[in-house]
Each structure stands twice: as C-alpha cells, then as structure tokens.
Amino acid sequence: MFFALFRNTPVASPRFIVSFSFNKIPTTRFSASKLGMPPSLPEPENPAPESSNATSVPKVRVYVRKKRPKKTLEITPTAVEAETRDQKLCSPPEIEDFAFGKDSSYSRLTQPPPANWEKVLQEIRKMRSSEGAPVDSMGCEKAGSSLPPKERRFAVLASSLLSSQTKDHVTHGAIQRLLQNDLLTAEAIDRSDEVTIKNLIYPVGFYTRKAGNLKKIAKICLLKYDGDIPSTLEELLLLPGIGPKMAHLVMNVGWNNVQGICVDTHVHRICNRLGWVSRTGTKQRTSTPEETRESLQLWLPKEEWVPINPLLVGFGQTVCTPLRPRCGVCTVNGICPSAFKETPSPSSTPKKSRINKRL
Ligand code: SF4
C-alpha cells in the first residue's frame, strides 16, 4: 500500500521502501521480484511464516529500489555531424564523381566565387542561344564525331594540335581534307609523307611544324598506345606540340575524364574582362591561359568546367571580341567591370588614322 503511494513519486537517488505488516490486517507484500525487477537485496532464505498468531509488533521489511537509468536521447551538434558524415560515407557517389578525375588536384574549390557570376553566366547563355558561333559547328570537339571511338579520339587530338593560332573554320577545313584522304588515323599518318600532310592542312598557322608534329604523334601512338592516344593528362602533355589547353580538351572529349578547364585565348580574355580571375595573391589580371585556368578552378563549380569553354569561346567570337567588344549589345554591360573600357590596341589604330588623314 505504501509502495503504491510512493510509486509515482520521482526520487533522485536509490530509495528505501518500507513495508509494514500488521497482525490481522491482510497485507500484500511488494517486492522487487514480484514487480519483475531484480531484487536489490536478497530475499530471506527462510522467511518467517506469517501467522495469524503473530504479535502486534509490526514487521519492517526494507527493499532498495535502484534508480532507473534515464533514457533521455541527447542530440548534440557533434552527434548530428557524425551521423551526417556516416550517411555520406554510406550513400552512393555523386554522378559527377564518375566524370571528374578523383586524383585531380583541382577537385576542391578553395576560393569564394566572384559576385554575380551566376547571373553573368546565365546572361551569356541567353546571348549565345540567340546567335550562333563558329565553335558550335567547327570546334575541335566536333572533329570526327561520326567516327568510331578510337578514331574519334585521334581526330580530336589532331584537331587540337592544328587549332592553335588558327581560326575554327580553317582548322575544320584541314581536318575535313585529312578525313577525305583517309589520313585521320595514327597508322595512315605514319605511312603518309610529311609534304602530303603539310599540303592538306595548309593554311593552318605554322602548318609546316604542325605537319612534322602530327607525324611524330602518330608514331608515338603506334609504338606506345597501339594506335590509340594516351589516356592521361601527363602522357598527353609529353606529345610534341600539345599544351595544357589541348590536353584538357582531349581528356574531356576523348576520354570523358575531366581533369581541368580547357582555357584558350577567348576564355582567358573574357574571364579577365569580367574580373573572374587574378594572379595569385593580387588583384591583377592573369597573364597566361594557364594562370587563368588555375585561378578559375579555385572557385568555378566542377559541373561548369566542360561547358564553360564552348560557351565563352562562342561569346568571344560574337560579342566580347578581342579588339572591339560589342559592349553596347552585351546584356551584362551593367555589371561587367570592363564594359566600354576595352579600347583597340595601339597596333590596330594606325590603319584607321592613315585612312582619316587621306580623307
Ligand atoms: S560588357 Fe563588354 S567587355 Fe564586358 S563582357 Fe560584355 S562585351 Fe565583354
């Protein structure tokens, strides 16, 4: 009875429960074992029989109830972080992890992005969709698109080699002539003589040197890669005439393995005009495409690494042109730090002044 009174009383420490029994009063003894609890004190081995003849001296039994451990679930920020981390470890990898090289040193973004970059990119996409550019149909990534994978890779590599210092439509024409003459495989280039190749690729810039490099590349591909092209950035960069811009493009298009951004002269110029890149530790413009690539990769999300090249190349061919950017029709001229400030270089003005003098 007394225990019933104490049952719902919160007690902070082990407590003693006292049971009284009196003669002639029917009692119910509550013990830990009867309650389904382990007894804290052992039951007496020979308990004194209860007798109706017992004296009126009350028997006192003492039971100890242990305090039940609290089952409160304490959630701390550390626990939440640990759980989230565990879930991440167990969750399937992101799709982008398959496309982007896990060993790439550029896999972590380490710098906050410039203000409004997403708005600028969105506006450039809109401008690009309203006006076609040569890169859309004649860029290196389009080379040999109808060929089997191995031949396609060689076509992209050859096209990248020919593209430096050369306009897209000139490179495209040279690749088409090589293709029409069945000279767009490592075996065929190796068999062919250098003069034939030189004549076919003319008038790409530095066509004599490029014809020689194409022959050397074909030989290396045959001897080391069974007629295919190298599959790593490092090996591609060892090929004669192949620089970082071309190697990244070939990795992206040929092997679907994104190791870095392909930065050509258009991407380099436009990123500087927009104030997206700077030399390490300064606010000065970058001076080479390689510097631009390294600076851009510090903040540009990886899903933009491949599309940024054709997007900005086309924008550079049509709106943000090298000499006289069309800032008047550019929809980001309100936020571009270089808007209406890019003047033609001094080397391009004499012609104009000569014309004016004649007039
Ligand atoms: S405002 Fe002028 S300089 Fe700036 S991105 Fe547009 S075209 Fe280029």
Side-chain angles (χ1 to χ4, degrees):
M1 183 175 72
F2 280 89
F3 175 73
L5 289 173
F6 290 132
R7 244 176 118 178
N8 297 322
T9 306
V11 179
S13 57
R15 55 186 176 177
F16 296 93
I17 295 181
V18 183
S19 171
F20 298 91
S21 64
F22 297 92
N23 281 341
K24 297 176 184 178
I25 300 175
T27 60
T28 302
R29 283 191 306 171
F30 292 93
S31 70
S33 57
K34 283 181 181 177
L35 290 169
M37 295 169 57
S40 299
L41 290 176
E43 294 278 348
E45 282 184 14
N46 300 307
E50 287 186 19
S51 165
S52 58
N53 297 326
T55 62
S56 61
V57 177
K59 294 176 184 174
V60 178
R61 293 176 185 275
V62 178
Y63 301 95
V64 177
R65 172 178 285 177
K66 278 187 178 176
K67 181 186 174 185
R68 288 184 185 177
K70 282 186 179 178
K71 289 189 177 178
T72 311
L73 183 61
E74 291 188 11
I75 300 174
T76 62
T78 314
V80 172
E81 278 171 19
E83 191 180 339
T84 312
R85 191 172 57 246
D86 289 347
Q87 282 175 351
K88 278 183 184 172
L89 288 173
C90 297
S91 61
E94 298 292 331
I95 288 175
E96 67 178 78
D97 286 341
F98 292 111
F100 293 93
K102 287 185 176 177
D103 296 332
S104 168
S105 57
Y106 314 114
S107 57
R108 291 180 189 280
L109 307 181
T110 56
Q111 192 171 291
N116 293 325
W117 74 273
E118 283 173 301
K119 181 173 167 40
V120 170
L121 213 54
Q122 198 181 357
E123 286 300 320
I124 292 175
R125 280 194 200 103
K126 279 188 208 163
M127 286 187 270
R128 286 282 282 111
S129 65
S130 65
E131 188 177 358
V135 70
D136 297 336
S137 55
M138 293 181 281
C140 293
E141 57 272 26
K142 307 288 177 195
S145 51
S146 59
L147 298 173
K150 187 175 170 182
E151 293 174 33
R152 167 106 202 275
R153 284 193 283 274
F154 190 82
V156 172
L157 179 61
S159 181
S160 301
L161 176 76
L162 302 186
S163 69
S164 69
Q165 308 285 318
T166 306
K167 290 190 180 298
D168 280 346
H169 71 275
V170 177
T171 306
H172 179 72
I175 289 294
Q176 287 304 109
R177 286 190 294 279
L178 288 173
L179 186 61
Q180 287 156 7
N181 286 274
D182 289 328
L183 284 175
L184 210 46
T185 62
E187 292 86 353
I189 291 283
D190 186 53
R191 277 197 309 267
S192 178
D193 64 281
E194 200 168 314
V195 176
T196 304
I197 297 168
K198 191 171 78 173
N199 291 337
L200 284 172
I201 65 174
Y202 178 85
V204 299
F206 306 103
Y207 59 93
T208 303
R209 193 190 305 163
K210 286 176 182 174
N213 282 340
L214 199 52
K215 285 278 292 176
K216 288 177 193 164
I217 287 173
K219 180 69 85 184
I220 293 168
C221 288
L222 278 176
L223 293 177
K224 287 187 72 177
Y225 305 102
D226 194 26
D228 208 335
I229 67 169
S231 60
T232 67
L233 194 68
E234 294 73 22
E235 289 171 307
L236 282 168
L237 287 170
L238 291 175
L239 298 176
I242 298 296
K245 177 205 109 179
M246 304 166 198
H248 283 296
L249 182 86
V250 172
M251 287 300 292
N252 299 351
V253 180
W255 295 108
N256 191 28
N257 183 347
V258 184
Q259 295 285 311
I261 302 170
C262 172
V263 175
D264 76 337
T265 180
H266 293 288
V267 178
H268 170 58
R269 180 184 68 255
I270 294 166
C271 286
N272 273 293
R273 284 180 177 174
L274 291 169
W276 282 1
V277 290
S278 60
R279 300 177 81 173
T280 312
T282 73
K283 291 189 176 177
Q284 295 173 347
R285 289 184 171 198
T286 56
S287 55
T288 64
E290 259 307 271
E291 268 186 3
T292 298
R293 183 179 63 75
E294 285 168 8
S295 180
L296 197 56
Q297 287 176 176
L298 292 177
W299 62 267
L300 187 71
K302 286 190 288 185
E303 58 268 25
E304 300 291 350
W305 285 17
V306 173
I308 193 84
N309 176 272
L311 185 76
L312 293 191
V313 170
F315 184 56
Q317 290 173 337
T318 54
V319 179
C320 195
T321 48
L323 289 183
R324 293 179 184 81
R326 298 164 63 202
C327 300
V329 300
C330 180
T331 58
V332 298
N333 61 18
I335 45 180
C336 171
S338 306
F340 305 105
K341 291 180 186 168
E342 296 288 325
T343 53
S345 62
S347 60
S348 66
T349 50
K351 232 180 191 174
K352 195 176 176 185
S353 52
R354 274 202 303 274
I355 294 167
N356 288 341
K357 275 180 189 172
R358 272 190 226 131
L359 292 173

